[in-house]
Amino acid sequence: MSDIILDVQHLNKSFGSKHVLKDVSFSVERGHIVGLVGPNGAGKSTIMKAVLGLFNYASGQITIDGDAVSPTSHQAMDKVGALIEYPGIYPFLTGMQHLKLFSKETTSQDQIDEIVDRMKMTTYIDRKAKTYSLGMKQKLGIALALVNRPKFVILDEPMNGLDPQANKDLRTIILDLAKQGTTFLISSHILSELEKLIDDLVVIDKGQIVYKESMATLESGGKRLLVVKTSDDDKATTILTQNGYQLDQTAGVSIIETDDTKMADVIKLLSDNGIDIEDVQHVHSDLETSLLELLKNDKVKES
Amino acid sequence: MITLVKQETYKLLHKKSTPAVSIALLIIMTVFGVLSKLYPKYWSAKGMFTTMYTGGSWVVLFLIAACSSIIAMEFQYGTIKELLYRKYYRGEILVSKWITMLIYSIYFYALVFVYSLILKVVLYNGKFNLTDTYANNQSIIETQFMNLIGQFLSVWLVLSLVLLLANIFKSTAAAISIGIIGYFALSVVSGLMFVLMQKWDWLKWNPLNMMNLPAQLTSDTYHKMTLLSTPEMICGSLAYTAIFMAISYVVFKRRSV
Ligand SMILES: Nc1ncnc2c1ncn2[C@@H]1O[C@H](COP(=O)(O)OP(=O)(O)OP(=O)(O)O)[C@@H](O)[C@H]1O
Ligand SMILES: [Mg+2]
């Protein structure tokens, strides 16, 4: 068995004359949680649908666990669970009936009950789905994606409409399953949530992959700042610059940290010069900052 | 495939409208049975029985609604993605829906047939025998059975069209209205159609003419109007049904969701 569970090579897809996916190639390692992010209309849902064999594509190859996937080749889908865009729900069935309807013969009632319990849906699972709120439907959609214990799970904006507690529960479930070997491909605009989950990041913009790296690489590439709040910011800025510290222009007194920046040295330098320090903070650039930077650069490149 | 048919049946049975429709059908048939008993001037007892106490016409309506909704609801509720991304082939998903509808239509006609026998026994016991000659040298029960077979074939011609339209428009409204108009248009336009057919012989192969099958099966003169022999008509009906189903299949397989 290879370490790659999903492999997408040179995928091209057009809707009419609109070229929506342009030579998209990426792969997903077994057991990893991969984030797929990009602006609205970038093509995230389209990639996911192609991976699920929901439509024909002009050219390219998609394989899941070594089996080719296309609308006419669906064997690999036995290992896949998915929630795309919004959950499809029959208003006249209860949540439990949905889970029974879509569960495989090999899925036991205990397994169904377990996912209901973990998603905290027990109080309303026997109610008709037409009475569900947005978040309740979303949870049911996630439960449907997970109920058959698939090896590979695709979630398109799963945090949509979930309250903070449900978000946290979902995170715990995903991390648990990943630890047991389940692979996830997750798209989301809630980067602060996504950041807590993912091992790897794939960024897509206007149908092209613009970035694919592990989170570790992304984090080490970002700027780290030491932000100090003082009684006299102007004076502090002058003194720090004179002493060879690189300052970031964005906000207040922000020292760009290098490997030999020591907080103690900074504090000593400033207090020796009669400046009082009110607050010191380490600031890591988060996924949002990195991503916005990335997409900004890309636009510059294109024009 | 059996799993898929089971899933479709599960959905059908859990709709509130499913049991409601069956009960409504029995009530309507009972009402017409009682009316024909009370006012024999307006309705002949034997005629009522051979047309299954109007049950046949209602079944058409209910089946048109069921066929359009079994396809269109998946698009309407967004469940089509869940259905299609699984290990099954697309064709299998569609065929499982057709089989479910076939079973449903057989159920309906069996229900109507059995219940009309019950109504006959309860309301008209001893009034007439099922083996009495009705018309066209056929006994009453034969006439009723021929009606049933003819209706079944011509209804499936309409249903195949409804299934196709639901597939193309992804909406129940369009499929239902065209299906109902199509089925009941016959009585409105058949006069004109027969005239035109005298002029242009090939017109006899048009699908609306095929829908005269129940009338032809229970009459020995009708073929002079339809210009087709009964076997020709049966084959014609089946051929049109097959064509509409085939187009449906192609449309469904090529659809992007
Ligand atoms: N059925 C369709 N017909 C025509 N164009 C489509 C269709 N589906 C998607 N598109 C186009 O494909 C592009 C990518 O859409 P997609 O839904 O994949 O975006 P996305 O990255 O998921 O965006 P979002 O963050 O808003 O969900 C868009 O420009 C959209 O207009
Ligand atoms: Mg999307």
Side-chain angles (χ1 to χ4, degrees):
Chain A
M1 268 210 303
S2 85
D3 271 20
I4 304 288
I5 189 153
L6 168 69
D7 192 34
V8 177
Q9 290 299 325
H10 308 294
L11 182 64
N12 281 285
K13 165 82 192 164
S14 301
F15 286 112
S17 62
K18 200 162 181 285
H19 202 172
V20 174
L21 295 181
K22 297 165 196 157
D23 201 36
V24 167
S25 300
F26 69 98
S27 55
V28 170
E29 268 181 70
R30 201 178 295 278
H32 278 215
I33 305 177
V34 178
L36 181 61
V37 301
N40 290 131
K44 302 179 294 294
S45 303
T46 309
I47 290 183
M48 291 175 156
K49 288 181 188 170
V51 167
L52 293 171
L54 288 180
F55 45 48
N56 283 305
Y57 36 90
S59 64
Q61 273 114 42
I62 299 173
T63 51
I64 291 180
D65 225 0
D67 293 324
V69 175
S70 74
T72 51
S73 168
H74 265 210
Q75 284 86 347
M77 288 303 138
D78 212 21
K79 304 163 187 159
V80 181
L83 168 63
I84 297 295
E85 285 179 335
Y86 57 94
I89 280 170
Y90 300 103
F92 52 85
L93 293 182
T94 67
M96 186 55 89
Q97 286 168 342
H98 277 89
L99 291 165
K100 284 192 182 140
L101 183 65
F102 285 107
S103 63
K104 292 188 205 157
E105 284 93 355
T106 50
T107 306
S108 67
Q109 183 64 42
D110 281 349
Q111 285 175 323
I112 297 179
D113 291 340
E114 190 196 325
I115 188 76
V116 169
D117 194 46
R118 295 204 66 180
M119 293 297 298
K120 304 224 171 82
M121 308 196 304
T122 27
T123 52
Y124 54 84
I125 197 68
D126 288 319
R127 258 166 50 190
K128 288 231 186 327
K130 65 176 164 215
T131 67
Y132 285 12
S133 70
L134 177 71
M136 290 171 171
K137 287 186 191 154
Q138 186 72 9
K139 285 196 210 175
L140 179 56
I142 296 168
L144 285 169
L146 299 177
V147 68
N148 290 317
R149 305 257 174 104
K151 277 189 186 172
F152 181 39
V153 179
I154 296 182
L155 298 174
D156 193 2
E157 303 183 29
M159 293 94 171
N160 224 348
L162 296 189
D163 63 34
Q165 181 62 49
N167 251 316
K168 188 156 177 273
D169 296 341
L170 176 62
R171 205 159 66 223
T172 320
I173 296 172
I174 292 178
L175 288 170
D176 270 6
L177 287 171
K179 225 175 268 163
Q180 294 162 28
T182 309
T183 312
F184 286 87
L185 179 64
I186 304 176
S187 90
S188 178
H189 294 300
I190 309 171
L191 298 174
S192 52
E193 274 301 323
L194 200 60
E195 196 170 22
K196 296 175 192 156
L197 282 173
I198 59 177
D199 302 308
D200 305 310
L201 179 69
V202 175
V203 181
I204 177 166
D205 191 16
K206 299 185 204 82
Q208 279 171 305
I209 302 268
V210 294
Y211 186 85
K212 43 184 175 183
E213 282 298 343
S214 71
M215 279 303 276
T217 319
L218 185 71
E219 270 159 14
S220 67
K223 275 188 222 167
R224 283 174 304 154
L225 299 177
L226 191 63
V227 182
V228 265
K229 221 165 131 197
T230 65
S231 52
D232 187 346
D233 282 357
D234 289 341
K235 195 171 162 200
T237 309
T238 328
I239 292 169
L240 287 166
T241 328
Q242 280 166 2
N243 283 274
Y245 286 99
Q246 289 272 310
L247 294 194
D248 192 88
Q249 307 300 323
T250 43
V253 186
S254 312
I255 305 162
I256 297 174
E257 281 188 280
T258 58
D259 286 343
D260 40 57
T261 312
K262 291 210 177 67
M263 200 194 293
D265 293 346
V266 175
I267 295 171
K268 186 157 180 297
L269 178 67
L270 291 179
S271 53
D272 283 354
N273 285 281
I275 300 169
D276 291 335
I277 297 173
E278 287 160 6
D279 191 24
V280 186
Q281 266 183 320
H282 277 293
V283 177
H284 286 268
S285 67
D286 55 3
L287 183 56
E288 182 174 270
T289 328
S290 318
L291 189 75
L292 290 176
E293 196 90 338
L294 205 68
L295 293 174
K296 205 166 62 193
N297 289 345
D298 179 62
K299 277 204 187 97
V300 174
K301 227 183 342 187
E302 215 179 24
S303 60
Chain B
M1 184 61 97
I2 293 172
T3 316
L4 290 174
V5 174
K6 269 193 203 152
Q7 290 178 347
E8 290 303 329
T9 321
Y10 185 89
K11 285 187 267 181
L12 185 63
L13 290 179
H14 280 89
K15 278 186 167 181
K16 250 202 209 118
S17 57
T18 308
V21 155
S22 287
I23 292 166
L25 185 62
L26 298 186
I27 293 174
I28 293 170
M29 285 173 69
T30 313
V31 167
F32 277 95
V34 171
L35 280 178
S36 69
K37 172 108 180 165
L38 294 179
Y39 306 101
K41 272 189 292 190
Y42 304 114
W43 288 287
S44 97
K46 292 177 184 174
M48 258 301 170
F49 175 75
T50 57
T51 55
M52 292 163 285
Y53 301 91
T54 71
S57 311
W58 299 103
V59 166
V60 178
L61 287 182
F62 299 148
L63 281 174
I64 287 175
C67 281
S68 77
S69 106
I70 200 172
I71 303 280
M73 79 170 172
E74 307 290 356
F75 295 103
Q76 194 184 335
Y77 300 147
T79 41
I80 189 77
K81 293 172 301 206
E82 263 103 339
L83 282 189
L84 292 187
Y85 84 69
R86 302 173 298 169
K87 66 177 170 187
Y88 307 102
Y89 292 105
R90 267 199 195 195
E92 289 182 300
I93 308 273
L94 187 63
V95 171
S96 73
K97 288 180 175 294
W98 292 349
I99 293 175
T100 308
M101 282 298 111
L102 185 65
I103 296 171
Y104 197 38
S105 66
I106 292 171
Y107 154 80
F108 260 135
Y109 281 104
L111 180 74
V112 167
F113 179 68
V114 170
Y115 195 64
S116 66
L117 286 180
I118 293 174
L119 281 179
K120 191 260 164 209
V121 170
V122 172
L123 296 170
Y124 296 105
N125 207 10
K127 266 273 195 63
F128 62 87
N129 284 321
L130 294 179
T131 46
D132 289 353
T133 306
Y134 183 66
N136 186 22
N137 290 325
Q138 287 172 332
S139 69
I140 290 178
I141 186 80
E142 269 175 328
T143 308
Q144 195 206 41
F145 203 72
M146 284 299 161
N147 233 330
L148 203 91
I149 298 292
Q151 279 192 18
F152 189 79
L153 289 175
S154 55
V155 159
W156 264 96
L157 172 53
V158 174
L159 293 183
S160 65
L161 180 65
V162 169
L163 287 165
L164 171 62
L165 294 171
N167 215 324
I168 292 173
F169 296 119
K170 304 187 203 170
S171 111
T172 40
I176 291 183
S177 25
I178 297 179
I180 289 176
I181 292 170
Y183 191 80
F184 294 98
L186 182 65
S187 48
V188 182
V189 300
S190 58
L192 179 65
M193 185 177 74
F194 288 145
V195 172
L196 292 177
M197 270 159 43
Q198 296 293 342
K199 224 172 154 189
W200 293 291
D201 186 60
W202 53 268
L203 265 182
K204 68 186 177 192
W205 293 107
N206 86 73
L208 272 184
N209 196 24
M210 303 299 156
M211 311 264 299
N212 286 313
L213 185 60
Q216 176 145 343
L217 281 176
T218 51
S219 141
D220 52 1
T221 51
Y222 218 76
H223 62 92
K224 289 182 190 139
M225 314 262 276
T226 63
L227 308 179
L228 290 172
S229 71
T230 304
E232 278 175 335
M233 252 179 142
I234 292 176
C235 292
S237 295
L238 291 175
Y240 273 112
T241 307
I243 290 170
F244 290 141
M245 296 294 232
I247 301 174
S248 256
Y249 191 83
V250 173
V251 169
F252 192 75
K253 277 204 96 163
R254 308 188 64 146
R255 155 150 283 138
S256 285
V257 286

